[in-house]
Amino acid sequence: MTTTPSASARVSEVNPRAVQLPSLAGRREWLALAVLMLPVLLVSVDNTVLSFALPEISRHFAMSGTMLLWVVDSYPLVLAGLLVAMGSFGDRFGRRRLLIIGAAGFALFSVAAAFAPTAGFLVASRVGLGVFGAMLMPSTLSLIRNIFTDRNQRRIAIAVWAAGFSAGAALGPLLGGLLLEHFWWGSVFLLAVPVLVLMLALTPVVVPESKDANPGRVDYASIVLSIGTMLPVVYAIKNLAKGGPLLVSVTAAFIGLAAGTVFVMRQLQRRDPMLDVRLFTVRAFTGAVLVNLLAIFSLVGFLFFVSQHLQLVLGYTPLDAGLVLLPGLVMTIIAGLAVVPLARRLPPHVVVSVSLLFSAVAYSMIALLGEGGSAGFLMIAFVVLGIGVGASETVSNDLILSTVPADKAGAASAVSETAYEVGSVLGTAVLGSILLASYQRNLLLPAGLSSAQAESSTETLGGAVEVATQLGPTSASLLRDSAFHAFDSGVTVTAGIAALLMVGASVLAAWSLRSTTAERVEH
């Protein structure tokens, strides 16, 4: 069995001159990329559609703010816990095989979510989507790593892959808006089914199978430890952010960190580790992973509150709200592709740090001028944010994949996808919870509400809007005005915090990714 290369040796692969010139991809390879975009589009459509369906879901089930966050977060929470394990399974048993299994399971649970009779059943269906979604995402990125061996072609392919997320996010509100205007909220989940049917038909024909040539034995203990690390840690952050019991967060974090410590020690002792944790000693690799996380954090957090503002405060339909955000989502695609030639001429730390500053500017616009902001203003802010997210995602994913050999791409892809999903969880859990706390602190309820009406109004903005329909004209107007003001005040506070986080992310990128230049020379 071959010995696992060290992390520093792997970084030498970033320099294309240090290895033999790889073969160029032809028409079949680019067709395979087109098929691999189908699950990427599927997952991003699913996430965006859900954010626009939240007001209707909240009203339909009369759910609390905490339950609403669980509907959003249960999917990425489970996904984050399973990605490393599924990436390892793909390396060992075949990435295409895992992709097909994931597609079939995702289709079944999409139907289950669409017809969920209760909020609890919807959360359970989202958990099932997370299990099979964990099979989809590492497989797509690791297959790209193996199909495109030329560095420049691979960078373009990764830009297309990243743009696929943005394209799905752009299509989601439009398709979902049309469905929500004519059908019930569950119809948004059925969007996945035709995409998956097409993918299941084409994948065996055009996508080549790939796996680790020397995979070693399946390390079930490491799989359990990886899940035992991610699930409790992400839950602890989520619980703490929403103001849950401190003891619960501390206990969950302790369990996760303890499992993570054992996981790291086990990987260091094995000749064929499930995940080469030595990669995290490479500053550029760790920096790229954190950039990935923070870029998605900014995107998901922005969508969480702006979709509610457009629909509940400004009274836009889901379709009209999607059209307002469409230019920003298109700009995310353009920025992801346009950064490819720039990345050939400028060092990564410059490209990524400047990109993240665009995200900081977008949030600063909302913090300074956004209270009661118009749809046009939000559109401009989201265009600025899209530039930052699109450019930083392309470069950071390219850096992550370039540090590992092709036969270990599944594990590296899983790390990238874990960062993506943890960023999604944190975007809604942290920013959403800060927004909720500010909303509750500033909300003034009119006299005469029942205890149930008061509780519903306090839990979410959607709840307040629904309660207002049950009141007389004067009380309804007072409640709506107070709720809208409280919500927008919370958005201002939340955006200010997010702007500072994005400035910090830019500084982190400037420091950590600068090492890629030095390491190219050294190795």
Side-chain angles (χ1 to χ4, degrees), residues 76-89 127 130-131 134-135 219-236 252-253 255-264 267 274-275 418 422:
L77 178 67
V78 173
L79 203 64
L82 293 176
L83 279 169
V84 173
M86 293 303 180
S88 177
F89 273 128
V127 169
V131 172
M135 301 180 187
D219 186 4
Y220 291 104
S222 291
I223 292 173
V224 172
L225 288 169
S226 69
I227 297 171
T229 300
M230 288 305 306
L231 279 177
V233 168
V234 174
Y235 176 76
I255 293 172
L257 292 175
T261 301
V262 178
F263 176 81
V264 170
Q267 304 315 297
M274 188 177 86
L275 175 65
T418 300
V422 171

Side-chain angles (χ1 to χ4, degrees), residues 158-323:
I158 291 173
V160 173
W161 179 87
F165 278 106
S166 301
L171 289 173
L174 299 178
L175 297 176
L178 287 171
L179 290 173
L180 290 172
E181 287 190 358
H182 297 92
F183 303 100
W184 88 115
W185 60 265
S187 61
V188 299
F189 291 104
L190 296 181
L191 284 172
V193 177
V195 176
L196 289 166
V197 170
L198 181 62
M199 195 198 91
L200 288 170
L202 295 178
T203 298
V205 179
V206 301
V207 177
E209 180 63 283
S210 68
K211 57 184 177 180
D212 190 345
N214 299 286
R217 294 179 299 174
V218 176
D219 186 4
Y220 291 104
S222 291
I223 292 173
V224 172
L225 288 169
S226 69
I227 297 171
T229 300
M230 288 305 306
L231 279 177
V233 168
V234 174
Y235 176 76
I237 296 171
K238 178 181 174 1
N239 182 71
L240 185 64
K242 69 181 179 63
L246 180 61
L247 181 61
V248 173
S249 292
V250 171
T251 302
F254 177 80
I255 293 172
L257 292 175
T261 301
V262 178
F263 176 81
V264 170
M265 294 174 60
R266 185 173 180 84
Q267 304 315 297
L268 292 174
Q269 294 170 357
R270 292 179 61 86
R271 293 186 60 197
D272 55 342
M274 188 177 86
L275 175 65
D276 187 0
V277 295
R278 294 179 181 86
L279 285 170
F280 289 97
T281 65
V282 180
R283 196 168 70 185
F285 179 85
T286 303
V289 170
L290 291 175
V291 164
N292 226 350
L293 185 153
L294 292 169
I296 297 303
F297 175 96
S298 68
L299 176 64
V300 173
F302 193 98
L303 286 173
F304 180 79
F305 64 72
V306 79
S307 62
Q308 295 185 69
H309 179 89
L310 289 171
Q311 294 183 67
L312 297 175
V313 178
L314 298 183
Y316 279 53
T317 65
L319 177 59
D320 289 337
L323 289 172

Side-chain angles (χ1 to χ4, degrees), residues 97-124:
R97 177 183 301 173
L98 198 68
L99 186 67
I100 293 172
I101 295 172
F106 203 97
L108 291 175
F109 276 99
S110 294
V111 174
F115 296 98
T118 65
F121 193 94
L122 179 58
V123 172

Side-chain angles (χ1 to χ4, degrees), residues 1 24-25 36-37 43 83 103 108 126 143 147 181 204 207-208 212 221 245-246 335 395 431 454 472 487:
M1 184 177 297
L24 295 177
L36 291 175
M37 288 304 97
V43 171
L83 279 169
L108 291 175
R126 294 276 290 167
L143 282 166
I147 291 171
E181 287 190 358
V207 177
D212 190 345
L246 180 61
V395 178
L431 297 184
F487 183 82

